[in-house]
Amino acid sequence: MDQLKNFTDVKHPVLKRDLTILRETTTLPERFRSAVKRISNVLAVEISKEFDLIEKEIDTPLEKTSGFFLDVDVVLVPVLRAGLGMVSGFLSVLPNAKVGHIGLQRDENTLEPIEYYYKTPKDLNKSKIILLDPMLATGGSSLAAISFLKKKGAKDIVFACLVAAPEGVKLLYKEHPEVKIFGAALDRELNDKGYILPGLGDAGDRTFGTL
Ligand code: PRP
Ligand code: URA
C-alpha cells in the first residue's frame, strides 16, 4: 500500500529471534534490554548502508592503502523514556554520533503526547538525525518529535523503531512523507487503548521494569 511505502521492514533471522524475546510476556527487563540493543545494532547497520564515505590514504604496518571514513554527522535522538534503550546499540555502530533527547509522554486518556524535555546539539540542519523510539503506535509521539526537530532546523531525519502499527506509519507518511522509517516489524493494528497488536506491551515499562 502506498501510504506504507516510507516503512522499511528490516528482515534478518536475528531480528525475528530477538523480536520474539521482546514479545514474550515472561521476558524480564535485563533480557529485554539486551534484545533491544541487538536489534538496534542491526537497524543502525541497515540505516547507515547508504551513508557517504570519504576515501583517504592510510598506512598499514606494511604499505599505504585506501582508508574509508564516514562523511556524515549523525545525531541520535531517543524519545524518552523507551528510546533510551536503543542508544547503545546505535552508538556501537556509529560511535561518533552525538545524542540529543526529547522527553514525551502519551496522555493515557487522550493518547496525545506531552513534551517534558528537549535538548539537542546545535547545527541540526547539517546533521543526519536518527530519531529513536521502539514503538510507532498512533504516531502522535513521533509526529511531535519530528515537528520539534524540524522547528530547531533539522532537515534530514530518519526514524528507527522496533515495532510499528500501520496507523502510525500512515500518519507519518501523510505529515512528513520524506521521513523514512526503519523497523523490525510492521504489526497488525492498534487496540482501543492505542497499544500495538500483537506488539510487546509498554516498551518503557518493559525496558525499565516499571510494570
Ligand atoms: C510510548 C513509546 C512511544 C509512544 C508511542 O511511550 O515509547 O513514545 O508510546 O505511541 P504513539 O505512537 O501512540 O504516540 P510512552 O508515552 O508510553 O512513554 P514512556 O516511554 O515514558 O513509557
Ligand atoms: N507505546 C508502547 O509502549 N506500546 C504500545 O503498544 C503502544 C504505545
Side-chain angles (χ1 to χ4, degrees), residues 58-75:
I58 57 158
D59 296 306
T60 77
L62 300 172
E63 61 176 27
K64 290 189 183 303
T65 189
S66 288
F68 296 91
F69 301 84
L70 290 180
D71 188 21
V72 56
D73 288 320
V74 177
V75 177

Side-chain angles (χ1 to χ4, degrees), residues 106 135 137 194-196 201-204:
R106 286 201 313 179
M135 309 308 279
Y195 277 87
I196 300 176
D202 185 307

Side-chain angles (χ1 to χ4, degrees), residues 11-162:
K11 292 193 188 308
H12 196 289
V14 164
L15 287 188
K16 276 204 182 313
R17 188 260 332 259
D18 283 332
L19 261 175
T20 305
I21 292 173
L22 298 186
R23 291 192 196 280
E24 274 190 314
T25 319
T26 50
T27 300
L28 296 175
E30 186 185 9
R31 197 155 172 255
F32 190 92
R33 286 192 294 266
S34 18
V36 169
K37 182 172 178 181
R38 286 191 298 272
I39 295 175
S40 302
N41 251 292
V42 178
L43 293 178
V45 169
E46 181 67 26
I47 288 171
S48 52
K49 228 160 67 178
E50 313 269 302
F51 282 7
D52 291 332
L53 290 169
I54 299 178
E55 186 173 357
K56 278 190 193 155
E57 191 174 73
I58 57 158
D59 296 306
T60 77
L62 300 172
E63 61 176 27
K64 290 189 183 303
T65 189
S66 288
F68 296 91
F69 301 84
L70 290 180
D71 188 21
V72 56
D73 288 320
V74 177
V75 177
L76 306 174
V77 182
V79 177
L80 306 179
R81 286 176 300 168
L84 286 176
M86 299 173 73
V87 173
S88 70
F90 269 79
L91 279 177
S92 62
V93 176
L94 302 166
N96 296 325
K98 294 176 184 161
V99 184
H101 294 86
I102 295 183
L104 291 174
Q105 180 147 36
R106 286 201 313 179
D107 180 296
E108 295 204 346
N109 297 312
T110 64
L111 302 183
E112 287 298 312
I114 301 161
E115 181 199 353
Y116 61 87
Y117 188 78
Y118 182 91
K119 181 88 181 170
T120 56
K122 296 190 185 78
D123 294 339
L124 284 186
N125 57 333
K126 299 191 188 111
S127 306
K128 172 143 221 111
I129 317 296
I130 308 181
L131 183 67
L132 307 177
D133 192 330
M135 309 308 279
L136 170 57
T138 63
S141 307
S142 32
L143 195 65
I146 292 168
S147 302
F148 290 139
L149 289 167
K150 282 191 172 175
K151 256 191 238 152
K152 301 282 176 182
K155 296 202 160 44
D156 181 1
I157 305 174
V158 298
F159 178 36
C161 61
L162 304 184

